[in-house]
Amino acid sequence: MLLKDEVEMLRRVPLFSGVAPAKLKLLAFTSDRVSYKAGQTLFRQGDPADAAYVILTGAADILSDTPSGEIKVAEIEHDSIVGEIAILCDVSRTATVRANSALEALRISKDHFLKLLSDYPEMTIEIMRVLADRLSHTTTELSEARSKQKQAAK
Amino acid sequence: MEKSLGRYIWSNTRLQQIWILCVVAVSMIPYFLSFDLPKQIVNGPIQGMGFDAPGATQTFMRIQYDIPYIGNVVFFNGLELTRFQMLMALSLVFLLLVIINGLFKLYINTYKGRLGERMLRRIRFELIDRVLRFPPGQFKRVKSAEIATMIKDEVEPMGGFTGDAFVQPALLGGQALTALVFIIMQNFWLGMIAAAIVAIQGVVIPRMRKRLLELGRQRQLTARELSGRVGEIVDGIGTIHGNDTSNFERADIAARLGLIFSIRYDLYQWKFLVKFINNFLAQVTPFLFYSIGGFLALQGRLDIGQLVAVINAYKDLPGPLKELIDWDQARQDVQVKYAQVVEQFNVERLVDPRIQALMPEAVSRLEHSLQAVNLTLSDDSGAPLLRHVSLEINPSETVAIVGSGGSGAEYLAEAFARLIWPEQGRITIDGKDILELPESVTGRRIGYAASDTYFFHGTLRDNLLYGLKHAPLTKVEYEGKSAAQYKWNINEARRAGNPELDLNSDWVDYASAGVTGPDDLFKVVRPVLDAVLISQDILDMALRSTVNTAAHADLTDRIVELRQALRKRLKKEDLDDLVVPFKLNAYNAQATVGENLLFGSMKRPMMTNRKLAAHPYFRAVLRENDLLIDLYTMGLEIAENAVELFQDLPPDHPFFQQLTFMTADDIPLYQQLLQKLKGHGIEAASSDERTSIIRLSFSYIEPRHRFGLLNDKLMAKIVDARERFHNDLPDDLKAVIERYDPEQFIASASLMDNVLFGRIGFTQADSSERVNTILRDIFDRLDLFESVLSIGMDFDVGSGGKRLTNVQRQKLNVARALLKRADYVIFNRPMPALDQRVQDQITHNIMENLHEEGHAPAIIWVLSNTALANLFDRVIVFDKGTLVEDGTHATLLKKNGIFKELVS
């Protein structure tokens, strides 16, 4: 897969959709292309966060360690970014991500990602928009869950 | 040391001095004869004295002496020669005398030179010997650079002076006296004039030179201080940068240089003034000779021949005289320097030479307890560090010493290591003070490691085994030339009072490390390296380094086996694509275009990319098949991509790290090139510009850069060019390029490259770590791990071990103390640079695993983590310089004392 194809794929990721192609090309060039086999781990819960991953092809499970063992929280597919939260707020990984099929990803290191954000404010705004969107989504889910809980308690 | 240099020289070189004096005395005979000859030549054959009648002859070389009791004996009847024959004969005798005098001079000077060099060697050795015997406290007061200057520079003139010490006054005095006596014999009054001027010179000049001596002494001191300061700047460069004090240092140095300049300038002024007066006095004499002697000659009271001889003889008087005065100056100067140096090296409480005596035999184990009796230690200002401590540590006992920093625990450890000498009380083993025990006992049977490590410039192996090098243990057999050289070396060493120890011998005491020789050394080294958690570092060093194939044939001979084992293993774990192997007839996508083209390794620094690119053969290979144009086009596209990607970024942007084939400074350059060359063919580019463009293509790796510039056809072309390149490789390139051969070890490539024989797949996740783990395992399985460690041991640690990290140095320092297999091992907070977790791990390893096989030393460990005290048989607690608690871990915990406080 060539740089220009990667740029095309990056444009399909909502986070980057508003960013100029030339900048996406730079982002792609300065990132590492990494391939994983099914079952290989991208990162583990509790590890220090050093990079975000854009899934180019394939899919991965997001897993969370609980006292009762590992449970699958979600699945991500191509054209999505994973691990960006941890590098933004400097916390360790909150979940384990494991490829469930052969997977190709673009590994954007933390320094490069942050540098891009400070260089291109339009990217920062885009990220803010996506995050705010997610937050409102989560808040809605939470309130729904709470109201369900209340109803169940009655 | 002897205070007077004269006596020091005399006592060490008496016989040689007497011999050379005798030679000088003998040399006086031809010297004197050569004075008389000119007079004979001028008066005899030239002026015709005794050749009054034409055809008259004179006797030449008639040798006869009046010997008492026997009467007149004629040894040689002589030859009857005419005036012309006589002139020739006498001239030839003159020539002969010149040669004889010259040969004497040659012999005397060589002999003196050798004498001086031996003396210099002796003094230098003696001074360093003293440094080795200084009491530890002395090193707090002296700067290493100053000591080095004293030994290297300040004693240097003493060597030169030694040869002259007695000979010079005898020789020059003799010469001057001869000349003077000769002049007096020719004419008494002319002689007296010369003598009077000599007397004036002899009195006035040395007086004037007194000041020169004082200035010389100041020059010496200021120069020594300067080198001390330079040493401080080098050692403290981090502190200087960290505090922005470089200008303060500049000011200090400038002030010192100014002072040195003023002293030296003063010195020159005086020196040339003295020279002027000296020269003037010397030149006044001929003036008197010409005027007074000429007057006498005119009056007929002096014949011309006599006057010529006097003037001729006088020519030889000022020379020796001046040198004699110079000699006296040098004598005083050197005496002052010597006294200065000796003063610095005459230190009280010097270690007795017997304590450091060479001991090639094994030293028996210490089977008695180590006792501190009423031990009091204090620092340089006299403040107490430790007060009245008495304790006893038994063989094989493990003791944890705990206490906060400054509690005295660390000083007790230093006292055990003899780094601090007791103020009162003593430390004994079997009733003997450890300061009086020979170092062959204390240095071998007691091990010590603290946080301040020191590593000597050399390999890791040299440094790790340093604690085992006590005496030359093998006798090296020399043959032929080297045997003669060795004999000569030993003789010279003996003559200069140096020891006759052979550095080429194997000094490593394998037996005391518990092995039989260098071959099974790793049997004991590896567990120690594992215990201090440094084997992985050494393995990495080995993998990154090129291997000396002669020294490590055990591994390099099995390289094929290693490569196969790696392939098999990768296949088995389904990791085939982790490493892409080099194949002669296939393009390796994970390697650069340049690597693919070369398919070999260059012997640097004889061969570099630049040199190869300029080589006509290489160029010819590229030109065939139009490969050159392909690569040029490719380079142009790379440049275009790079410029497009990076032109807007500031030059210090971190993204430039990713740009492997150019630097930020190159971007504008390539921008210009592109404007000029884009759309035109390769012909538009000059030779230099072509190189700049094609160079880019060499660094290109498709999976990494992903510009889409390589297709199957081009790859096939490159593989084809590779074959042609190697087929007719000229000899000059063959010598510096090693072709990749799956059956051979590549000496100029790193061990890693050799084992992989390919490139790690760039896109594989965690590829390097996974390869490292697999390699480690394979080395272990093939029994090659120790060979690899041995290669890592060749790593050059740099000056003071600075090429190692602080963490590595502290780990190795502990390893070094353990390798000695001492009976008492003392660790004085040895690893503060390490994480607490790693420190704990290493402590556990050493205390629990390392001494299982029987050798059980007493371990005295000043702990930084009190929680580890439960690993030890006994715990001793210090507080404020006194011993406060002593007992087992359990009893101390029960006591509710300071220890419990420290643990919680």
Side-chain angles (χ1 to χ4, degrees):
Chain A
M1 197 184 292
L2 300 179
L3 213 50
K4 50 179 190 266
D5 305 325
E6 285 166 15
V7 174
E8 283 308 306
M9 302 191 81
L10 278 177
R11 294 184 67 180
R12 279 185 246 144
V13 179
L15 188 60
F16 301 118
S17 58
V19 182
K23 282 159 201 167
L24 286 183
K25 191 170 174 189
L26 186 62
L27 174 66
F29 183 73
T30 51
S31 312
D32 296 331
R33 264 285 284 283
V34 200
S35 341
Y36 295 88
K37 294 203 170 94
Q40 231 180 323
T41 310
L42 277 72
F43 51 80
R44 248 176 259 282
Q45 188 172 338
D47 282 354
D50 56 350
Y53 296 80
V54 175
I55 314 290
L56 298 174
T57 61
D61 294 337
I62 297 180
L63 307 155
S64 186
D65 284 338
T66 61
S68 56
E70 216 170 49
I71 53 165
K72 183 168 161 183
V73 186
E75 184 176 325
I76 45 164
E77 290 197 330
H78 57 88
D79 303 341
S80 52
I81 184 164
V82 62
E84 79 282 17
I85 307 284
I87 62 175
L88 277 175
C89 46
D90 233 348
V91 293
S92 51
R93 299 291 188 196
T94 51
T96 301
V97 174
R98 187 173 299 143
N100 61 18
S101 66
L103 181 146
E104 291 265 320
L106 210 50
R107 184 179 182 278
I108 308 172
S109 78
K110 179 177 165 180
D111 295 344
H112 286 174
F113 192 73
L114 296 179
K115 189 74 192 155
L116 269 178
L117 290 189
S118 63
D119 285 358
Y120 303 111
E122 61 267 34
M123 255 183 89
T124 319
I125 292 170
E126 187 59 39
I127 294 242
M128 261 166 58
R129 213 179 51 73
V130 172
L131 289 182
D133 201 41
R134 266 193 221 164
L135 183 62
S136 75
H137 205 71
T138 318
T139 317
T140 323
E141 273 183 10
L142 183 67
S143 47
E144 275 173 16
R146 287 234 173 109
S147 60
K148 266 185 201 161
Q149 215 174 15
K150 267 187 193 163
Q151 275 170 3
K154 273 177 192 172
Chain B
M1 272 176 98
E2 178 62 65
K3 284 238 162 52
S4 146
L5 179 64
R7 239 174 308 172
Y8 182 77
I9 293 174
W10 182 251
S11 64
N12 282 311
T13 60
R14 204 168 29 234
L15 290 177
Q16 291 94 320
Q17 298 284 4
I18 291 172
W19 165 247
I20 197 71
L21 279 173
C22 293
V23 175
V24 168
V26 173
S27 77
M28 283 295 119
I29 299 169
Y31 185 71
F32 186 79
L33 288 177
S34 67
F35 277 133
D36 195 45
L37 209 52
K39 191 181 83 181
Q40 280 188 37
I41 297 175
V42 174
N43 285 347
I46 293 177
Q47 294 208 323
M49 203 185 284
F51 292 99
D52 300 329
T57 57
Q58 281 191 354
T59 322
F60 175 72
M61 282 282 283
R62 183 179 170 87
I63 301 171
Q64 59 170 0
Y65 291 103
D66 286 321
I67 296 173
Y69 308 113
I70 301 169
N72 193 320
V73 180
V74 178
F75 291 94
F76 182 62
N77 260 330
L79 300 166
E80 289 298 314
L81 298 179
T82 64
R83 187 169 169 181
F84 178 70
Q85 284 169 329
M86 194 64 173
L87 177 66
M88 283 300 117
L90 286 177
S91 300
L92 283 174
V93 170
F94 182 80
L95 187 64
L96 186 70
L97 286 177
V98 167
I99 293 171
I100 292 175
N101 280 332
L103 287 176
F104 264 113
K105 233 178 205 154
L106 176 68
Y107 178 80
I108 292 168
N109 283 336
T110 319
Y111 194 91
K112 282 196 310 192
R114 196 176 58 178
L115 200 60
E117 289 307 318
R118 278 187 193 142
M119 194 65 198
L120 184 60
R121 185 174 174 181
R122 180 187 293 272
I123 298 180
R124 281 184 171 159
F125 179 79
E126 206 162 308
L127 293 180
I128 295 169
D129 181 66
R130 285 185 159 249
V131 173
L132 288 171
R133 293 193 287 123
F134 275 173
Q138 180 70 13
F139 293 99
K140 292 180 188 162
R141 276 169 238 140
V142 293
K143 291 182 192 162
S144 56
E146 291 188 358
I147 291 196
T149 312
M150 282 191 264
I151 293 174
K152 188 184 142 284
D153 299 327
E154 294 186 18
V155 301
E156 176 114 34
M158 281 166 225
F161 178 74
T162 303
D164 292 337
F166 301 98
V167 175
Q168 199 76 346
L171 178 72
L172 297 170
Q175 283 179 0
L177 207 63
T178 315
L180 200 59
V181 167
F182 183 78
I183 295 169
I184 293 172
M185 276 164 62
Q186 302 307 315
N187 184 294
F188 181 74
W189 290 112
L190 287 182
M192 282 301 117
I193 291 171
I197 300 281
V198 167
I200 294 172
Q201 274 180 297
V203 173
V204 173
I205 304 298
R207 293 242 161 141
M208 292 187 71
R209 280 183 167 164
K210 278 255 164 68
R211 184 166 160 69
L212 282 180
L213 283 176
E214 173 52 27
L215 287 172
R217 202 181 63 83
Q218 286 176 16
R219 183 178 61 176
Q220 181 186 1
L221 283 179
T222 47
R224 184 192 298 166
E225 280 165 16
L226 177 73
S227 61
R229 285 292 294 141
V230 172
E232 276 192 326
I233 288 177
V234 172
D235 292 342
I237 193 70
T239 313
I240 294 172
H241 285 317
N243 292 305
D244 181 29
T245 46
S246 66
N247 287 311
F248 179 70
E249 297 299 332
R250 284 190 186 101
D252 179 78
I253 292 294
R256 280 172 198 279
L257 291 175
L259 180 63
I260 292 176
F261 172 80
S262 70
I263 292 171
R264 294 184 75 107
Y265 182 55
D266 212 353
L267 204 63
Y268 279 118
Q269 281 178 315
W270 265 96
K271 204 161 141 186
F272 290 120
L273 182 64
V274 172
K275 211 169 195 171
F276 167 72
I277 292 171
N278 199 13
N279 282 345
F280 176 73
L281 287 175
Q283 292 305 317
V284 159
T285 327
F287 158 75
L288 294 174
F289 284 169
Y290 285 121
S291 53
I292 299 172
F295 176 70
L296 291 175
L298 284 181
Q299 285 195 335
R301 283 199 272 171
L302 192 67
D303 65 60
I304 307 277
Q306 252 180 335
L307 185 57
V308 170
V310 165
I311 289 172
N312 202 28
Y314 182 72
K315 218 173 62 230
D316 290 298
L317 186 57
L321 206 61
K322 190 175 155 294
E323 280 181 53
L324 202 58
I325 294 170
D326 284 346
W327 172 85
D328 186 58
Q329 152 104 4
R331 184 184 63 82
Q332 297 191 38
D333 190 41
V334 169
Q335 173 61 43
V336 169
K337 281 197 168 133
Y338 179 78
Q340 283 272 337
V341 172
V342 165
E343 193 187 302
Q344 293 296 319
F345 284 81
N346 261 349
V347 173
E348 275 178 45
R349 300 184 80 188
L350 216 54
V351 173
D352 191 319
R354 271 174 305 170
I355 286 180
Q356 295 184 340
L358 187 75
M359 176 74 177
E361 295 81 26
V363 174
S364 55
R365 295 199 54 169
L366 294 175
E367 280 159 355
H368 295 86
S369 60
L370 181 66
Q371 285 178 310
V373 185
N374 195 22
L375 187 69
T376 297
L377 305 172
S378 52
D379 66 9
D380 269 13
S381 68
L385 302 170
L386 201 67
R387 268 173 283 212
H388 307 295
V389 170
S390 295
L391 56 85
E392 180 171 0
I393 289 162
N394 293 313
S396 301
E397 190 176 27
T398 59
V399 181
I401 302 185
V402 296
S404 51
S407 62
E410 58 271 57
Y411 305 118
L412 178 69
E414 286 184 17
F416 279 146
R418 294 168 298 137
L419 297 176
I420 307 181
W421 288 6
E423 183 79 18
Q424 280 172 37
R426 52 193 203 135
I427 299 170
T428 61
I429 292 176
D430 191 19
K432 284 179 234 130
D433 193 322
I434 58 164
L435 292 179
E436 279 153 27
L437 278 172
E439 286 192 358
S440 57
V441 173
T442 49
R444 298 183 202 186
R445 306 313 314 173
I446 300 179
Y448 177 79
S451 60
D452 53 335
T453 61
Y454 195 85
F455 287 87
F456 294 90
H457 198 166
T459 64
L460 195 56
R461 181 194 321 273
D462 293 340
N463 277 291
L464 206 54
L465 301 181
Y466 191 77
L468 298 171
K469 296 180 177 179
H470 315 295
L473 293 177
T474 55
K475 176 130 184 63
V476 187
E477 294 299 333
Y478 294 95
E479 273 171 28
K481 245 187 192 164
S482 55
Q485 179 66 33
Y486 177 69
K487 212 171 149 194
W488 188 88
N489 287 344
I490 290 293
N491 271 329
E492 275 305 320
R494 196 176 297 148
R495 287 196 175 118
N498 282 202
E500 296 161 29
L501 306 173
D502 189 356
L503 196 60
N504 294 330
S505 158
D506 195 346
W507 285 66
V508 179
D509 184 359
Y510 297 103
S512 76
V515 293
T516 54
D519 297 330
D520 58 347
L521 186 62
F522 276 90
K523 200 178 77 192
V524 293
V525 170
R526 188 174 169 191
V528 169
L529 295 179
D530 284 343
V532 298
L533 307 178
I534 195 145
S535 348
Q536 185 61 46
D537 295 47
I538 297 178
L539 186 79
D540 288 344
M541 286 174 201
L543 285 173
R544 279 193 300 270
S545 61
T546 55
V547 180
N548 177 349
T549 43
H552 299 288
D554 53 335
L555 182 130
T556 54
D557 288 351
R558 293 176 64 186
I559 189 68
V560 178
E561 190 186 343
L562 258 173
R563 285 173 187 162
Q564 283 168 352
L566 177 68
R567 297 271 170 274
K568 240 191 227 160
R569 175 67 177 275
L570 289 174
K571 202 171 189 93
K572 200 174 112 199
E573 296 197 13
D574 202 19
L575 291 170
D576 268 345
D577 40 4
L578 199 56
V579 177
V580 182
F582 288 125
K583 283 185 189 132
L584 182 59
N585 48 13
Y587 190 92
N588 187 330
Q590 300 290 349
T592 63
V593 170
E595 284 171 321
N596 268 295
L597 207 48
L598 187 62
F599 199 69
S601 168
M602 289 185 278
K603 287 183 185 161
R604 292 169 200 276
M606 286 94 78
M607 197 66 203
T608 58
N609 283 334
R610 192 172 290 271
K611 280 187 198 165
L612 182 67
H615 199 279
Y617 176 74
F618 184 68
R619 288 191 163 185
V621 168
L622 287 191
R623 231 172 276 129
E624 272 176 67
N625 255 344
D626 288 341
L627 186 58
L628 196 68
I629 294 176
D630 290 333
L631 293 180
Y632 176 81
T633 320
M634 190 171 159
L636 217 51
E637 278 189 62
I638 293 173
E640 211 179 328
N641 271 301
V643 168
E644 182 202 334
L645 283 170
F646 286 90
Q647 60 185 351
D648 295 335
L649 295 183
D652 53 352
H653 201 283
F655 284 3
F656 277 106
Q657 288 164 13
Q658 208 72 11
L659 190 63
T660 48
F661 39 78
M662 41 172 114
T663 65
D665 304 336
D666 292 337
I667 296 281
L669 195 91
Y670 279 102
Q671 224 167 347
Q672 280 175 10
L673 272 181
L674 279 173
Q675 270 169 10
K676 184 181 159 198
L677 302 175
K678 213 178 155 196
H680 305 282
I682 188 168
E683 303 77 24
S686 73
S687 169
D688 268 1
E689 287 166 348
R690 273 184 214 181
T691 314
S692 307
I693 297 290
I694 292 177
R695 187 180 72 84
L696 296 180
S697 70
F698 285 175
S699 313
Y700 183 74
I701 303 174
E702 179 73 51
R704 175 162 190 185
H705 300 117
R706 319 192 286 280
F707 294 149
L709 302 179
L710 272 176
N711 51 36
D712 290 344
K713 201 176 138 215
L714 185 54
M715 289 195 270
K717 247 185 182 181
I718 290 172
V719 172
D720 177 54
R722 166 202 296 179
E723 268 186 50
R724 275 182 291 119
F725 176 72
H726 281 290
N727 276 348
D728 300 310
L729 198 60
D731 287 340
D732 61 325
L733 285 179
K734 252 182 201 155
V736 288
I737 293 178
E738 259 185 292
R739 180 180 174 164
Y740 289 153
D741 182 345
E743 305 296 317
Q744 293 290 330
F745 194 86
I746 311 153
S748 51
S750 71
L751 178 62
M752 181 74 148
D753 285 349
N754 261 297
V755 178
L756 294 183
F757 197 71
R759 289 274 172 265
I760 296 183
F762 182 77
T763 53
Q764 298 301 310
D766 312 323
S767 39
S768 300
E769 294 82 18
R770 281 197 282 171
V771 167
N772 259 343
T773 319
I774 292 174
L775 282 183
R776 198 184 159 105
D777 191 50
I778 288 178
F779 288 138
D780 236 347
R781 274 166 199 241
L782 292 181
D783 266 337
L784 280 171
F785 198 86
E786 285 165 12
S787 310
V788 179
L789 281 185
S790 172
I791 292 168
M793 289 284 175
D794 290 342
F795 181 76
D796 175 7
V797 301
S799 151
K802 288 192 187 122
R803 292 186 67 207
L804 299 170
T805 64
N806 201 13
V807 169
Q808 289 171 332
R809 281 200 295 271
Q810 293 190 347
K811 286 176 175 178
L812 286 167
N813 197 34
V814 169
R816 179 155 77 182
L818 287 168
L819 271 179
K820 276 207 303 200
R821 297 202 161 200
D823 302 318
Y824 288 92
V825 187
I826 300 150
F827 292 116
N828 191 2
R829 302 203 173 109
M831 300 173 287
L834 281 63
D835 288 349
Q836 192 62 54
R837 193 177 50 78
V838 184
Q839 280 191 49
D840 293 358
Q841 174 71 47
I842 293 176
T843 314
H844 273 278
N845 287 346
I846 292 173
M847 296 309 298
E848 287 166 358
N849 309 330
L850 204 56
H851 299 289
E852 281 172 344
E853 21 64 82
H855 167 79
I859 296 180
I860 304 162
W861 199 312
V862 182
L863 289 173
S864 20
N865 181 7
T866 315
L868 295 170
N870 61 353
L871 296 172
F872 294 81
D873 299 343
R874 179 175 159 197
V875 180
I876 299 174
V877 187
F878 279 86
D879 189 42
K880 299 189 184 104
T882 51
L883 192 161
V884 287
E885 286 174 24
D886 184 353
T888 63
H889 186 255
T891 54
L892 287 190
L893 270 187
K894 270 186 219 143
K895 239 172 110 182
N896 261 340
I898 290 186
F899 179 67
K900 193 155 184 204
E901 224 171 87
L902 282 169
V903 172
S904 64

